[in-house]
Amino acid sequence: MSPLSPRPPRAKRARPGPPSHELHVVDDDEGPSRTQLKREADALQKLGEELLELPDSRLDAIGIDENLRRALRECRKITAHGGRKRQLQYIGKLMRQVDAAPLAEAVAAFKLGHAHDQLRLHRLEALREELLAEHAGDAALQRYIEEHPGVDVQQLRSLLRAARKDAAANPEARSGRGFRELFQFLKAQPEAGDA
């Protein structure tokens, strides 16, 4: 063979190992994937963040692990972004060692209770506006008295007069006291179904 002549092509040898169609078979006995483990860790860290919103009295009622409780207490004190992020990761790590189900239930119950409170406040504001409306105020007052048989009607009428007088005043002369007192009175009354 001359140095300038082309080489003959090499023959390809079969590589040892399983055929290529068997390489992509996933064995179910391997456990969760890394992606699934990462999702679970992120979910636990998010639950840890939500635990930070719970008041101490709720945390006491749950009976959480003391290390987790201490980490939550420390995280509330941290203001630096990087430090808080590291502390949240640590909380996520601690969350993997405890049963997260009761903690998730406590967070859900707290959020639901908060939503109920907000909804009640919005209903009370709408009721106050309805009672103060000139065109339907008397009908709304009568309906409220019927729905709440134990209400102090004289005090309610007095608060309504004060709130209406306050609303009729010049904007500069309004104190808002009548509105606030009427709202606090309505807030102190039990719900129509509870009475």
Side-chain angles (χ1 to χ4, degrees):
M1 229 181 178
S2 76
L4 298 176
S5 65
R7 285 188 172 169
R10 283 187 172 175
K12 293 186 179 181
R13 288 187 247 163
R15 294 187 175 164
S20 63
H21 67 279
E22 293 180 10
L23 289 178
H24 299 290
V25 175
V26 177
D27 189 11
D28 291 337
D29 295 336
E30 291 180 16
S33 66
R34 285 178 53 186
T35 305
Q36 181 63 30
L37 291 174
K38 176 77 170 133
R39 274 192 213 116
E40 290 171 4
D42 288 344
L44 288 174
Q45 185 174 335
K46 176 80 171 128
L47 180 60
E49 286 181 54
E50 292 173 342
L51 283 173
L52 288 171
E53 298 172 12
L54 293 180
D56 287 333
S57 59
R58 289 280 179 120
L59 291 175
D60 292 339
I62 302 170
I64 63 173
D65 180 56
E66 187 56 36
N67 289 334
L68 179 59
R69 176 134 180 128
R70 201 172 314 120
L72 289 169
R73 209 173 306 129
E74 287 297 318
C75 190
R76 287 179 179 160
K77 296 177 187 176
I78 298 173
T79 57
H81 178 70
R84 185 173 175 84
K85 186 176 178 181
R86 282 188 298 277
Q87 186 69 13
L88 287 171
Q89 289 173 341
Y90 177 63
I91 289 170
K93 179 180 177 182
L94 292 175
M95 294 283 293
R96 288 181 231 142
Q97 300 168 3
V98 298
D99 184 18
L103 302 177
E105 289 174 13
V107 167
F110 178 72
K111 285 183 177 181
L112 183 63
H114 186 67
H116 282 298
D117 293 343
Q118 290 295 322
L119 183 61
R120 181 170 189 259
L121 291 178
H122 288 303
R123 281 195 309 257
L124 289 173
E125 288 173 355
L127 175 63
R128 176 181 61 183
E129 294 302 318
E130 187 179 353
L131 289 171
L132 291 174
E134 291 185 26
H135 63 281
D138 293 332
L141 176 62
Q142 192 59 38
R143 188 172 55 250
Y144 184 81
I145 292 170
E146 289 171 5
E147 290 174 356
H148 298 82
V151 70
D152 184 356
V153 179
Q154 184 177 359
Q155 184 181 6
L156 178 59
R157 286 184 192 273
S158 172
L159 290 171
L160 278 171
R161 275 192 303 274
R164 285 179 181 156
K165 181 179 177 185
D166 195 28
N170 283 338
E172 296 86 26
R174 290 182 189 162
S175 68
R177 181 176 176 188
F179 285 110
R180 289 191 302 273
E181 288 179 352
L182 177 60
F183 184 79
Q184 293 303 321
F185 178 81
L186 295 173
K187 186 178 173 185
Q189 301 303 311
E191 294 278 336
D194 298 342

